[in-house]
Amino acid sequence: MSNKPVPHAKLAAEFLKDEPHRHFHDERLWDMRQKRDEQMHIMPEWQELREQASRLKEHTLAHLPQYLEQFEENARRNGIHVHWARDGAEHNRIVEKILRDHGHSSIIKSKSMITDECEMREYLEPKGISVTETDLGERIQQLDNQLPSHVVVPAVQKLTSDVAKTFAKYYNTDPNIDDPHALAEAQRNAARPVLLSGDTGMTGGNFLVAETGSFVVCTNEGNADLSANLPNLHIATLGIERLVPRMADLGVFIRLLSRSALGSPITQYTTHFRKPKKGGEMHVILVDNGRSERLGMDDFWTSLKCIRCGACMNTCPVYRRSGGQSYGSVYSGPIGAIIDPTFNAKKFSTLPFASTMNGSCTNVCPVKIDIHDQLYKWRRVLAERHEIPFVKREIMKMAGRLLAQPTMYRLAISGTEVALKTMPRFVLYNYLNPWGKHRELPHPVKETFHSWYKKNRLNKAKQHEETQA
Amino acid sequence: MKIGLFIPCYIDAFYPKTGIATLELLEKLGQEVEYPMDQTCCGQPMANSGCNRDAKETEALFIRNFSKYDVIVSPSGSCVHHIRDNFDAIEQTDEVRHVRKNTYELVEFIHDVLKVREFPWAEFPHKVGMHNSCATLRALRTASMSELGEPFFSKPKTLLSAVKGISFAAPKRPDECCGFGGTYSVTEEAVSARMGLDKVTDHHDAGAEYIVSADTSCMMHQQGCAERNGVPIRFIHIAEILNGARS
């Protein structure tokens, strides 16, 4: 993985240049946020559910080893093979070994962010194992060789005309037909033979249930069920934080998940996997990849409560105008900005600064993660580790000194007034002035409040005293 | 009750009218107000950039200027949010705790502490769009937040409703952030300016002649975006309207 900080500001500026994409992206995601609001309004118990979900997750995380062992024991009893992966590399080796043991070489896979996090395709494909994404959005991203833009709608930054061009290249369809139904049909026609011939099915999973040793996959396209059920071998990869203690707890999360994500009451398919089908084999790989380390971080452990609904992305005014690709990570938007630095603090050092700290993300989060407070805390951590640009550090040092000395400060801002009044426009708005690139500067004024107050309150009071005397 | 008036740097330098209106309004409401001459800033720019240590001396100066007052009032929600919720670069002495606890944003001070609802001198015959900054909305909680589905309330609107002739526009995304975000406005200038343009366009399309806010920093940014893009809308701080400005 390259360590170079992701140039979020630059990538976002590029995304904004194209009017149709910019406009569609903002409106589409804002529409999802509004549909989420509608669902919230018809459920008087919404805030209570959020509170319950948060408490359940915090309880589970506080007793994680115990519940993980309970899950493992029950899953094994159900006939599921359970594997533990310390990191992405170990996960990928486990998948490879399972396939080699069966003499398999092709995977049909439904959407799962965690296999992207493990960079599984990049590992398996050079070894002659093909991986075909069966989720429409994830497949589009795979064909274009891009990371998912959004955890729920991976290709949301694209217009149907972009998809038509991509499909034309790989599926020989007409590049000018961008009707969504025709595109979905093209994907279906291309995917079905692969689904029927694939020898291994892979899915992610939304929840692990400790008490039953089962796991739950929530999808809308039905591709996960085909991927899991057509082949005889099913491998599911889940992060260790995906646990809930009891079956009864699931209802809280199922009710929140799709309402928060898409504003629909429930996903089209909510599939419970409990044991392998007759004659089949089922494997669950539980991935740590930095999660247990994060669990030990006082300020950031609650980010493990995330159920990947994407509501924080939909509401985020910065994400809506930057596009998911500008985050350079599998996880983008506000949740990405607080968990990505736990994977690589240097590479993702720019992301906690890709926020106005408006706090809308925290308010929509169904498990009540204090996302914007964590963004604020990450900024401190990164500044202290010197993971912010040198120039910014120096400017802040200077600002801190100047603002601590009233006399120097007064001198400095009297300069600002003169500058605004007398400098030619091209000096004020040159390329070094990022404020002025897309905005006008404030207007110069005759006097500061400070000097007005001196004249109109202090001096008058003095005159008054003198006349009295 | 002796009030210390905190006028943040950008209001002092670029929007003295807002500072004057705040002072005059508090005086009209019978308050004893003083402006300590050695004040500069609350330390927010450094703290928000992660450079909290660099805010230490500025915060110390703030305490030297303001600890002698019973309450501190400022016409800037985001500065008050910093003082109340994040002001921790310096040691938390009794003085510091006193200042943090007794610093109010102007609207909440009038609404919650003075409990004034009448402004007989005020008249503003214009349609206005209310801009609640994210700090006043989600940190100081001076209005209801759309994400939580709570019953509607708005302290600034309650105060403005007493102003003769005023009417309110209804923008489509009333509590979407305008994109200022302090240093964010320059570190991510493209996204910031786009958000600002979207914000002023939303208000203009809803028929607002003015955008009114308790945060001048948001309006400084919005005004810059409106002027550059030719969106015909004006900006005024809530203190000026409540103090009797007609335009």
Side-chain angles (χ1 to χ4, degrees):
Chain A
M1 203 197 285
S2 155
N3 261 339
K4 237 180 115 203
V6 175
H8 178 268
K10 192 172 144 236
L11 296 171
E14 276 159 27
F15 178 75
L16 281 173
K17 277 185 193 150
D18 184 77
E19 184 60 23
H21 281 86
R22 172 198 78 68
H23 184 253
F24 170 80
H25 193 257
D26 176 48
E27 289 290 338
R28 168 87 175 95
L29 293 165
W30 180 250
D31 183 56
M32 284 160 71
R33 155 77 206 275
Q34 286 191 299
K35 291 204 166 89
R36 171 238 172 242
D37 287 3
E38 283 165 27
Q39 291 295 324
M40 166 186 69
H41 286 301
I42 55 177
M43 286 171 63
E45 69 273 38
W46 186 260
Q47 299 306 337
E48 203 182 312
L49 273 177
R50 285 178 75 219
E51 185 57 40
Q52 258 189 46
S54 169
R55 280 207 207 134
L56 278 167
K57 277 285 177 185
E58 286 182 9
H59 165 84
T60 313
L61 289 166
H63 301 83
L64 196 59
Q66 170 200 326
Y67 285 123
L68 280 170
E69 278 167 15
Q70 192 189 355
F71 171 83
E72 182 185 30
E73 193 190 321
N74 288 327
R76 290 224 161 106
R77 195 173 298 142
N78 297 338
I80 300 175
H81 300 266
V82 180
H83 309 260
W84 301 88
R86 197 163 293 129
D87 53 24
E90 189 171 7
H91 165 265
N92 298 341
R93 285 196 299 272
I94 292 169
V95 175
E96 185 190 4
K97 177 153 192 318
I98 299 170
L99 265 83
R100 299 282 184 230
D101 288 350
H102 288 80
H104 288 184
S105 63
S106 66
I107 296 173
I108 50 171
K109 186 185 152 290
S110 72
K111 177 162 70 74
S112 73
M113 293 297 131
I114 193 160
T115 52
D116 287 331
E117 177 191 318
C118 297
E119 301 182 334
M120 183 187 80
R121 289 200 311 250
E122 291 84 339
Y123 174 85
L124 291 179
E125 279 169 353
K127 294 180 181 296
I129 296 171
S130 71
V131 182
T132 307
E133 299 291 343
T134 58
D135 173 88
L136 176 58
E138 190 76 334
R139 179 64 178 160
I140 295 165
Q141 292 304 91
Q142 183 188 20
L143 292 173
D144 285 336
N145 198 21
Q146 287 175 330
L147 289 169
S149 255
H150 185 290
V151 293
V152 174
V153 277
V156 70
Q157 86 287 15
K158 290 186 174 125
L159 300 173
T160 49
S161 55
D162 302 323
V163 179
K165 278 184 208 122
T166 301
F167 280 6
K169 211 156 103 192
Y170 296 97
Y171 296 161
N172 283 322
T173 50
D174 186 336
N176 299 312
I177 295 178
D178 63 358
D179 167 53
H181 297 288
L183 293 170
E185 194 57 28
Q187 162 67 2
R188 206 170 287 131
N189 291 336
R192 286 289 149 99
V194 185
L195 279 166
L196 289 169
S197 66
D199 47 36
T200 306
M202 264 192 97
T203 64
N206 299 79
F207 304 99
L208 297 157
V209 186
E211 138 189 281
T212 54
S214 59
F215 61 97
V216 179
V217 183
C218 305
T219 61
N220 284 305
E221 294 172 23
N223 62 306
D225 296 276
L226 290 172
S227 303
N229 290 308
L230 286 175
N232 276 332
L233 178 60
H234 176 196
I235 306 172
T237 299
L238 294 96
I240 53 171
E241 82 285 14
R242 291 298 183 140
L243 268 174
V244 296
R246 302 162 306 176
M247 198 57 117
D249 304 325
L250 258 182
V252 174
F253 296 97
I254 299 289
R255 295 184 76 201
L256 285 166
L257 179 63
S258 194
R259 287 185 167 96
S260 297
L262 300 163
S264 62
I266 194 166
T267 44
Q268 299 290 326
Y269 302 90
T270 302
T271 308
H272 296 244
F273 292 96
R274 192 163 188 154
K275 56 181 173 189
K277 64 178 178 182
K278 232 180 210 166
E281 223 176 275
M282 186 180 278
H283 296 255
V284 169
I285 311 176
L286 300 170
V287 180
D288 185 326
N289 202 30
R291 286 162 175 77
S292 49
E293 196 191 330
R294 205 192 315 158
L295 192 55
M297 298 176 168
D298 283 346
D299 289 336
F300 306 117
W301 70 275
T302 56
S303 63
L304 288 164
K305 292 193 284 183
C306 177
I307 57 170
R308 305 283 189 265
C309 69
C312 61
M313 304 164 128
N314 303 344
T315 201
C316 178
V318 172
Y319 172 82
R320 268 188 269 115
R321 288 170 183 85
S322 321
Q325 297 297 303
S326 64
Y327 292 77
S329 164
V330 175
Y331 306 106
S332 49
I335 187 68
I338 61 169
I339 64 177
D340 293 335
T342 66
F343 295 117
N344 186 333
K346 187 177 266 317
K347 181 175 181 183
F348 300 117
S349 58
T350 48
L351 300 187
F353 294 90
S355 164
T356 61
M357 315 284 264
N358 60 77
S360 185
C361 46
T362 300
N363 279 350
V364 297
C365 178
V367 290
K368 299 185 90 166
I369 303 170
D370 52 345
I371 303 175
H372 75 296
D373 290 332
Q374 292 193 32
L375 286 168
Y376 187 80
K377 288 170 184 161
W378 266 115
R379 291 180 179 192
R380 278 192 190 183
V381 170
L382 293 165
E384 280 175 18
R385 288 197 210 157
H386 296 283
E387 299 289 7
I388 64 170
F390 176 76
V391 177
K392 189 183 207 170
R393 242 161 58 212
E394 288 305 302
I395 288 178
M396 288 304 151
K397 226 184 264 171
M398 274 160 47
R401 268 187 231 135
L402 181 67
L403 291 167
Q405 301 174 58
T407 323
M408 290 294 292
Y409 170 75
R410 281 291 141 206
L411 270 170
I413 70 156
S414 65
T416 320
E417 288 169 64
V418 175
L420 278 178
K421 267 180 263 185
T422 55
M423 290 239 210
R425 194 174 164 84
F426 74 88
V427 177
L428 291 174
Y429 292 93
N430 71 18
Y431 64 94
L432 288 173
N433 173 5
W435 177 276
K437 230 170 144 182
H438 294 103
R439 262 174 307 223
E440 294 296 304
L441 288 160
H443 305 182
V445 291
K446 279 203 207 87
E447 61 179 348
T448 60
F449 176 80
H450 189 269
S451 62
W452 179 91
Y453 186 82
K454 201 170 172 184
K455 236 184 269 169
N456 293 280
R457 288 294 185 276
L458 296 186
N459 292 351
K460 277 198 182 144
K462 216 189 277 167
Q463 276 167 18
H464 185 69
E465 272 168 34
E466 280 163 10
T467 36
Q468 293 279 308
Chain B
M1 179 168 59
K2 201 162 183 187
I3 300 174
L5 178 62
F6 172 43
I7 300 298
C9 47
Y10 55 92
I11 295 183
D12 176 46
F14 299 126
Y15 301 93
K17 263 167 62 182
T18 298
I20 297 167
T22 305
L23 176 67
E24 289 179 350
L25 177 61
L26 289 170
E27 287 170 347
K28 273 193 189 124
L29 297 174
Q31 301 303 307
E32 190 191 341
V33 189
E34 231 175 65
Y35 169 83
M37 292 298 278
D38 278 349
Q39 60 179 287
T40 58
C41 165
C42 63
Q44 185 182 204
M46 288 77 79
N48 257 3
S49 307
C51 304
N52 204 43
R53 286 167 204 270
D54 295 323
K56 195 174 168 185
E57 296 304 315
T58 307
E59 289 185 358
L61 174 67
F62 190 89
I63 297 299
R64 287 202 297 279
N65 276 311
F66 287 102
S67 60
K68 62 173 173 281
Y69 297 102
D70 301 315
V71 297
I72 297 103
V73 177
S74 178
S76 170
S78 83
C79 302
V80 172
H81 165 49
H82 174 72
I83 295 158
R84 193 177 293 170
D85 302 321
N86 293 320
F87 196 90
D88 62 358
I90 49 168
E91 200 197 321
Q92 302 296 296
T93 60
D94 287 347
E95 270 186 325
V96 174
R97 273 193 293 271
H98 164 79
V99 166
R100 292 185 63 180
K101 203 176 139 224
N102 293 292
T103 299
Y104 293 92
E105 181 272 322
L106 178 67
V107 168
E108 57 175 14
F109 181 70
I110 295 174
H111 187 281
D112 299 345
V113 181
L114 300 181
K115 299 190 193 321
V116 171
R117 295 290 182 275
E118 307 285 327
F119 306 89
W121 52 80
E123 186 175 349
F124 200 71
H126 302 283
K127 194 167 189 179
V128 302
M130 278 290 318
H131 173 69
N132 294 315
S133 71
C134 300
T136 56
L137 185 67
R138 299 194 186 87
L140 304 182
R141 306 285 278 109
T142 61
S144 50
M145 305 181 278
S146 62
E147 300 95 353
L148 296 186
E150 53 193 354
F152 179 83
F153 71 94
S154 167
K155 293 174 189 176
K157 203 169 172 182
T158 300
L159 300 188
L160 285 174
S161 299
V163 174
K164 280 189 283 295
I166 202 166
S167 60
F168 297 94
K172 280 190 191 138
R173 303 183 187 183
D175 60 8
E176 169 123 315
C177 174
C178 73
F180 173 64
T183 50
Y184 181 82
S185 61
V186 288
T187 54
E188 296 226 330
E189 67 81 24
V191 178
S192 170
R194 181 71 236 181
M195 285 165 69
L197 176 58
D198 289 349
K199 172 56 75 178
V200 296
T201 307
D202 190 15
H203 280 271
H204 178 255
D205 290 350
E209 297 163 64
Y210 282 86
I211 289 180
V212 53
S213 178
D215 267 84
T216 302
S217 53
C218 299
M219 290 197 292
M220 173 171 75
H221 157 73
Q222 291 175 25
Q223 184 174 23
C225 297
E227 285 179 4
R228 176 63 61 89
N229 292 283
V231 180
I233 194 160
R234 283 176 284 178
F235 297 84
I236 191 164
H237 193 279
I238 188 168
E240 294 171 51
I241 297 182
L242 295 178
N243 188 45
R246 296 288 190 270
S247 63

